[in-house]
């Protein structure tokens, strides 16, 4: 009944709210004796690379579908590298590195998007 | 003679490297090399060289290495510039054949930007950043040394091209399809791509290193808003390096694949897209010009505050504008190729974004002027460069805004107007800033002030020479003289202006001679600075003795205000008075041959790939991997400096109580 809310000190409440607001920054920190995750990640990244190579060399898909599949494989590859080898969520305390990482995604997308926009010119100068 | 040796000689020394002047340089290099070898052996200096310099991981020594490389490269690039001006002084001159002229302007641009400007900036970063933030070294000392040796490997690879195999001749931008095999079969462009890729790896590592250093290694109490502006500029520059270099590496690697493995990324046939290279190159290239100038904004902010005896005016606004410049500089790259014809939408967007950058830059200019206003200005050489920088950079910036107006750019494009504009900002901003920083921090690096009187002579020669060289080039551009023109007929009205411009180039050459004389004279006769604080400085590096001991700070300082050292001096505190109990064992990085050997291995890879010697390239690559793996398992990477040793050193500097 007269539970928690009133009994919390101000700083505790602040901390709790902070925890809720920054839940996505909660780090996961774990250690293994044998680097199983890394080995699986390595095999996975090789599979993703060779899958893309196979699709391009053998041309089993129409061009647009091929492009879509390769881009999907690339995104998966990037996520795998960041998650497994670059320890993106690990660390002591909150994982502040995630915020600049989102900024990086924004800038990278901006660069790619604007490059596509620029290179779609139709004036026949090329 | 066996046939393969004849073939080897023809490959390494084709007709394009057998001009009489190059043969003379070959002879000079051989004689000089033998002389140096004998000198080093007679004086038993090989061990000293290996222990003290080649295997060092100390940021202060790496700074000296960068500085030497930068000044040597300034000489090389400067000689190229004088050759260009000699060729263009009079109409119809054939001082050099067309092929050699093309090679000279290519190496001039590439060397001045990648092998003079950037190492000079990294020299200042290495010399000052850890001292300013109260750290004992950079975050990753070994990677710092690797960066240097990769840069050195790239620089050597690029520079030997003119005596072995032939220089690149496609301009510092190396646009395809001219860099493709169909038009450019020699090894020159291979040198260009490989040297820049290898040096680029080193630069990227430097970017990571200084970003982590400035974020993580600051002394207690130095919050973000208490960082000196030079540290802000180092942080922003490192972030720019991190984002800008990947597109360059990708573009260079794809061009290299086109040349070595027959792919068609940028070729004319097989669905290649040459303009995509241009897009990727400038995606790097525009942030690059800010990499070249933002560190000097930081230098000027320190210099102007020190020599006006005032706190920097509008510090928060300065920080905000430097961040705004960083952000905006990613969105302007199309202004380098408006004439590609991307259509009005694209061109207007990038024209406007370019003009927008002038606003935060203007804010910075006003803040420097307001810092000087009401201050007690000391006209030292460092301050003279600052005073010369402001009008020069403003005019360079104003002509930049003219170039950002798209319809006008269609007229200016590829003319000498563009040449004059970017020399105006790069010499006025970067070179003046580098020299200002050199004169300002020289006592910290070497323990004696550069002679001021001689420095003044060099300054006026550079300043006057600069304006005499480049103001006629604006007019030449408006009169229709295009860039990269190897000769021109009489009667176009370009004659007189070109003569004036060449005279200016000679004055700048005299400025360089004066600078080198100043440096050598000071090294020989310079008066030792015993205070460690000859300028009455404001930031933490001046709290240390000059030159700085290996461990920088015997006790890490606590920062209470923005200009930390000035604040301590005002309160009558001093870091010079340590009590012996304050000194503890210090963990220091251990010297290692890994970075040097990595540079050697990369050099083998680069040189072998240039001539497509696959087995040797394979051996070099195996060496690279072996060294990296060895380095990963090398746990003996640090040692402890005993408190007793530190106490003894501090006592000999007179900084220990009791």
């Amino acid at each position: 009944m007269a539970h928690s809310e009133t009994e919390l000190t101000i700083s505790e409440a602040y901390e709790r709210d902070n925890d809720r607001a920054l839940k996505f920054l909660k780090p996961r920190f774990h250690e293994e004796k044998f680097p199983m995750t890394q080995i699986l990640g390595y095999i996975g990244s090789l599979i993703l690379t060779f899958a893309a190579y196979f699709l391009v060399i053998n041309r089993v898909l129409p061009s647009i579908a091929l492009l879509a599949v390769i881009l999907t494989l690339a995104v998966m590859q990037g996520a795998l590298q960041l998650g497994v080898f670059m320890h993106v969520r690990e660390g002591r305390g909150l994982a502040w590195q995630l915020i600049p990482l989102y900024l990086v995604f924004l800038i990278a997308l901006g660069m790619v998007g604007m490059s596509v926009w620029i290179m779609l010119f139709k004036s026949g100068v090329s | 003679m066996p046939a393969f040796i004849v073939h080897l000689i023809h490959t390494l020394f084709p007709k394009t490297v057998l001009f009489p002047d190059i043969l003379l340089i070959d002879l000079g290099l051989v004689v000089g090399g033998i002389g140096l070898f004998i000198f080093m052996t007679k004086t038993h200096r090989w061990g000293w060289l290996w222990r003290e310099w080649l295997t060092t991981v100390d940021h202060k020594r790496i700074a000296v290495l960068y500085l030497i490389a930068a000044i040597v490269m300034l000489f090389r690039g400067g000689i190229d510039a004088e050759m260009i001006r000699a060729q263009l002084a009079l109409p119809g001159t054939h001082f050099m054949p067309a092929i050699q002229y093309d090679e000279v302007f290519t190496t001039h641009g590439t060397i001045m930007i990648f092998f003079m400007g950037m190492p000079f900036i990294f020299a200042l970063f290495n010399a000052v950043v850890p001292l300013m933030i109260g750290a004992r070294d950079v975050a990753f000392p070994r990677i710092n040394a690797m960066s240097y040796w990769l840069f050195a490997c790239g620089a050597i690879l690029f520079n030997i091209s003119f005596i072995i195999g032939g220089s690149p001749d496609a301009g510092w931008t190396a646009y395809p399809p001219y860099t493709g095999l169909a038009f450019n079969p020699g090894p020159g462009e291979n040198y260009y791509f490989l040297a820049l890729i290898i040096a680029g790896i080193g630069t990227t590592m430097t970017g990571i290193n200084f970003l982590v250093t400035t974020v993580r290694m600051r002394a207690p109490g130095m919050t973000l808003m208490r960082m000196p502006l030079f540290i802000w500029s180092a942080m922003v520059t490192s972030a720019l390096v991190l984002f800008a270099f990947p597109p360059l590496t990708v573009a260079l690697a794809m061009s290299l694949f086109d040349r070595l493995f027959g792919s068609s990324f940028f070729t004319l046939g097989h669905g290649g897209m040459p303009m995509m290279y241009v897009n990727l190159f400038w995606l790097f290239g525009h942030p690059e010009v800010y990499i070249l100038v933002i560190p000097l904004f930081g230098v000027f902010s320190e210099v102007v505050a020190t020599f006006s005896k005032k706190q920097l005016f509008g510090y928060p606004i300065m920080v905000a504008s430097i961040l705004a410049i960083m952000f905006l500089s990613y969105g302007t790259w199309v202004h380098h190729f408006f004439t590609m014809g991307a259509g009005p939408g694209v061109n207007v967007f990038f024209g406007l974004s370019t003009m927008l950058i002038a606003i935060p830059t203007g804010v910075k200019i006003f803040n420097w002027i307001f810092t000087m206003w009401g201050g007690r200005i000391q006209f030292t050489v460092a301050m003279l460069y600052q005073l010369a920088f402001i009008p020069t950079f403003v005019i360079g910036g104003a002509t930049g805004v003219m170039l950002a107006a798209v319809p006008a750019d269609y007229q200016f494009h590829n003319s000498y107007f563009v040449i004059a504009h970017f020399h105006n900002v790069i010499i006025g901003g970067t070179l003046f800033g580098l020299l200002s920083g050199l004169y300002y921090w020289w006592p910290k690096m070497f323990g004696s002030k550069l002679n001021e009187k001689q420095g003044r002579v060099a300054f006026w020669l550079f300043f006057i020479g600069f304006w005499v060289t480049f103001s006629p080039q604006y007019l030449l551009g408006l009169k229709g003289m295009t860039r990269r023109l190897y000769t021109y007929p009489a009667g176009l009205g370009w004659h007189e202006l070109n003569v004036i411009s060449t005279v200016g180039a000679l004055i700048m050459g005299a400025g360089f001679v004066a600078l080198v004389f100043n440096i050598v004279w000071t090294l020989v006769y310079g008066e030792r600075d015993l205070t460690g604080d000859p300028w009455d400085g404001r930031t933490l590096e001046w709290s240390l003795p000059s030159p700085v001991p290996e461990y920088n700070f015997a006790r890490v300082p606590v920062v209470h205000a923005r200009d930390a050292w000035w604040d301590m001096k005002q309160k009558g505190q001093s870091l010079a008075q340590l009590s012996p109990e304050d000194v503890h064992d210090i963990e220091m990085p251990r010297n290692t041959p890994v970075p040097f050997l990595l540079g050697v291995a990369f050099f083998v890879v680069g040189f072998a790939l240039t001539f497509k010697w696959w087995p040797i390239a394979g051996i070099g690559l195996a060496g690279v991997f072996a060294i990296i793996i060895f380095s990963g398992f090398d746990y003996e990477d640090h040692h402890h400096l005993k408190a007793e040793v530190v106490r003894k050193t501090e006592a000999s500097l007179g900084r220990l109580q009791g």
Side-chain angles (χ1 to χ4, degrees):
Chain A
M1 28 165 271
H3 183 50
S4 66
E5 291 297 325
T6 49
E7 285 166 26
L8 280 175
T9 66
I10 291 173
S11 69
E12 277 170 348
Y14 180 76
E15 220 160 72
R16 185 207 55 196
D17 290 349
N18 225 3
D19 280 3
R20 268 185 212 157
L22 298 172
K23 199 169 183 188
F24 75 108
L25 287 178
K26 273 278 178 226
R28 295 173 189 167
F29 194 75
H30 60 94
E31 212 175 328
E32 294 169 36
K33 276 273 180 301
F34 188 74
M36 203 53 191
T37 324
Q38 276 72 17
I39 289 173
L40 287 178
Y42 181 61
I43 295 171
S45 70
L46 286 182
I47 290 173
L48 287 171
T49 306
F50 282 111
Y53 180 76
F54 172 81
L55 287 174
V56 172
I57 290 298
N58 291 304
R59 284 284 175 166
V60 284
L61 291 170
S63 287
I64 296 291
L66 180 66
L67 210 59
V69 172
I70 289 181
L71 281 176
T72 317
L73 290 177
V75 171
M76 285 164 68
Q77 179 79 266
L80 191 148
Q81 297 291 334
L82 282 174
V84 177
F85 297 109
M86 305 216 173
H87 313 281
V88 75
R89 290 182 68 97
E90 289 180 21
R92 292 184 295 269
L94 297 176
W96 288 111
Q97 68 265 32
L98 287 183
I99 293 176
L101 193 69
Y102 294 139
L103 188 68
V104 167
F105 287 145
L106 193 73
I107 291 181
L109 278 179
M111 283 179 168
V112 173
M114 288 210 277
S115 287
V116 171
W117 181 44
I118 293 160
M119 296 310 291
L120 282 176
F121 66 103
K122 294 280 191 291
S123 66
V125 181
S126 109
Chain B
M1 243 192 298
F4 87 96
I5 292 186
V6 176
H7 176 71
L8 191 67
I9 290 174
H10 278 294
T11 317
L12 295 182
F13 302 103
K15 282 208 184 74
T16 45
V17 301
L18 295 179
F19 297 116
D21 50 344
I22 296 180
L23 286 174
L24 204 66
I25 294 170
D26 288 345
L27 189 71
L29 285 175
V30 170
V31 172
I34 293 172
L36 192 66
F37 183 82
I38 293 172
F39 172 75
M40 296 290 282
T41 313
K42 286 258 175 173
T43 51
H44 304 288
R45 278 176 206 243
W46 290 110
W48 163 82
L49 183 71
W50 177 258
R51 281 189 308 274
E52 303 275 312
W53 295 101
L54 298 187
T55 59
T56 188
V57 291
D58 184 347
H59 68 96
K60 299 177 287 294
R61 283 170 186 265
I62 291 173
V64 176
L65 290 171
Y66 269 121
L67 189 63
I68 294 169
I71 289 176
V72 171
M73 289 296 107
L74 183 60
F75 173 73
R76 163 85 210 267
I79 291 286
D80 286 345
E82 301 292 346
M83 287 169 79
I84 293 171
R85 286 317 314 167
Q87 172 89 354
L88 294 177
L90 299 169
T93 316
H94 289 276
F95 175 68
M96 288 180 279
I99 174 84
Q100 201 185 1
Y101 181 80
D102 294 347
E103 293 177 353
V104 164
F105 76 65
T106 302
T107 49
H108 167 70
T110 314
I111 284 175
M112 284 300 199
I113 286 180
F114 291 103
F115 301 122
M116 191 288 283
M118 304 204 53
F120 212 139
I121 285 166
F122 293 153
L124 295 185
F125 279 5
N126 270 295
V128 183
V129 165
L131 305 182
M132 251 187 187
I133 60 176
R136 291 206 168 108
D137 208 316
V138 294
F140 309 114
R142 182 177 288 197
I143 288 181
N144 197 22
M146 283 184 186
S147 299
Y148 174 77
W149 288 109
L150 289 187
F151 149 76
C153 157
I156 294 171
L157 198 60
F158 189 82
N159 274 284
I160 59 166
S161 64
F162 86 108
I163 46 174
I164 301 175
S167 289
D169 62 349
W172 84 277
T173 48
Y175 281 180
Y178 180 63
T179 51
L181 276 181
F183 304 100
N184 210 331
E189 289 303 322
N190 292 349
Y191 271 124
Y192 173 92
F193 291 128
L194 286 159
L196 257 53
I197 288 173
I198 293 171
I201 299 170
T203 308
T204 311
M205 296 197 310
T206 308
I208 294 170
N209 214 337
F210 278 94
L211 197 56
V212 178
T213 306
T214 48
V215 172
R216 300 284 304 178
M217 308 276 289
R218 298 193 306 273
M222 186 179 277
T223 56
L224 282 177
M225 290 310 270
R226 281 183 191 160
M227 292 200 301
L229 219 67
F230 185 64
I231 302 300
W232 269 109
S233 74
M235 188 190 265
V236 163
T237 307
S238 305
L240 280 171
V241 164
L242 268 188
F243 281 107
F245 270 73
L248 175 74
T249 311
V250 167
L252 296 174
M254 284 155 96
S255 289
L256 194 67
F257 272 46
D258 281 3
R259 290 180 61 83
L260 292 182
F261 306 117
S263 59
S264 312
F265 292 112
F266 306 129
T267 54
L268 285 175
H270 305 104
M273 204 171 188
M275 285 315 288
M276 193 61 199
Y277 174 89
V278 179
N279 180 59
L280 286 173
F281 184 87
W282 289 113
L283 194 46
F284 144 81
H286 198 78
E288 166 71 12
V289 303
Y290 285 94
I291 293 169
L292 283 176
V293 83
I294 283 180
L296 295 323
F297 288 175
V299 171
F300 287 131
S301 303
E302 300 303 328
V303 167
V304 76
T306 302
F307 294 117
S308 302
K309 289 278 163 290
K310 272 178 72 187
Q311 200 176 18
L312 188 71
F313 183 88
Y315 176 92
I317 304 291
M318 288 296 248
V319 172
S321 62
I322 222 169
L323 292 171
I325 292 173
M326 173 182 86
F327 188 74
L328 288 174
S329 73
Y330 285 118
T332 65
W333 74 90
V334 176
H335 68 219
H336 295 272
F337 51 101
F338 278 148
T339 53
M340 175 176 85
V346 172
N347 280 0
V348 166
F349 176 89
F350 283 93
L352 287 177
S353 67
T354 306
M355 294 178 194
L356 212 55
I357 270 201
I359 296 171
T361 317
V363 167
K364 297 187 82 65
I365 298 276
F366 279 114
N367 278 345
W368 288 316
I369 294 174
F370 287 144
T371 306
M372 284 186 264
W373 193 31
R376 264 179 294 141
I377 300 177
Q378 294 167 298
F379 290 97
T380 57
V381 178
M383 190 64 186
L384 284 177
Y385 278 111
Q386 153 88 23
L387 292 171
F389 152 79
I390 289 180
T392 313
F393 198 77
V394 165
I395 290 172
T399 53
V401 175
M402 287 167 75
L403 286 164
V406 183
D409 183 75
Y410 269 69
Q411 301 302 318
F412 297 135
H413 186 80
N414 236 16
S415 76
Y416 260 77
F417 191 88
V418 177
I419 304 276
H421 157 70
F422 70 68
H423 282 92
N424 210 327
V425 280
I426 291 185
I427 294 181
T430 308
L431 187 67
F432 285 3
L434 291 169
L435 293 176
S436 178
L438 184 71
Y439 277 86
Y440 181 54
W441 282 310
W442 185 274
K444 195 43 61 188
M445 292 173 78
F446 297 96
S448 57
K449 274 202 237 181
L450 281 170
N451 184 294
E452 287 279 310
K453 207 177 262 177
Q454 294 165 10
R456 248 166 251 268
V457 174
F459 163 76
W460 284 111
L461 288 171
F462 269 122
F463 184 60
I464 295 169
F466 164 75
W467 279 109
V468 177
T469 313
F470 292 101
S471 34
Q473 294 189 5
Y474 281 116
L475 301 175
L476 281 169
L478 296 177
K479 286 186 168 198
M481 183 164 164
T482 51
R483 69 192 289 199
R484 295 173 177 172
L485 194 71
Y486 103 96
T487 191
Y488 56 93
L492 291 170
W494 301 346
H495 181 177
E496 297 82 359
L497 290 169
N498 269 311
V499 171
I500 296 172
S501 185
T502 301
V503 170
L506 290 174
I507 298 174
M508 285 191 85
F512 178 76
V513 173
L515 174 72
V516 172
F517 179 81
N518 190 357
I519 289 173
V520 174
W521 190 92
T522 306
L523 286 176
V524 179
Y525 301 109
E527 203 179 317
R528 287 272 290 142
D529 161 52
L530 298 173
T531 59
D533 188 10
W535 310 119
D536 197 9
R538 311 179 73 83
T539 39
L540 279 176
E541 77 271 27
W542 302 111
S543 71
L544 297 168
S546 318
V548 183
E550 182 197 356
Y551 47 81
N552 297 355
F553 293 89
R555 185 187 57 187
V556 172
V558 180
V559 175
H560 297 288
R562 200 167 277 157
D563 288 336
W565 176 232
W566 186 259
D567 174 60
M568 289 177 196
K569 285 193 282 192
Q570 295 303 311
K571 291 178 185 159
Q573 297 168 348
S574 168
L575 288 185
Q577 295 309 314
L578 283 173
S579 70
E581 302 87 70
D582 290 337
V583 179
H584 305 286
D585 286 6
I586 295 175
E587 189 184 337
M588 295 297 296
R590 189 196 286 275
N591 285 1
T592 164
V594 161
F596 177 73
L597 295 177
L598 192 68
V600 173
F602 261 107
F603 182 82
V604 173
V605 176
F607 192 73
L609 279 183
T610 302
F611 292 98
K612 304 189 192 176
W613 297 337
W614 307 116
I616 300 176
I619 294 169
L621 211 56
V624 169
F625 280 112
I627 291 164
I628 290 173
I629 289 169
F630 168 78
S631 183
F633 287 97
D634 181 15
Y635 296 108
E636 301 289 313
D637 58 354
H638 62 282
H639 64 107
H640 286 89
L641 207 57
K642 289 272 168 283
E644 209 36 58
V645 181
V646 179
R647 274 185 211 120
K648 210 176 274 173
T649 316
E650 290 291 311
S652 74
L653 293 162
R655 296 164 65 89
L656 207 61
Q657 282 175 339

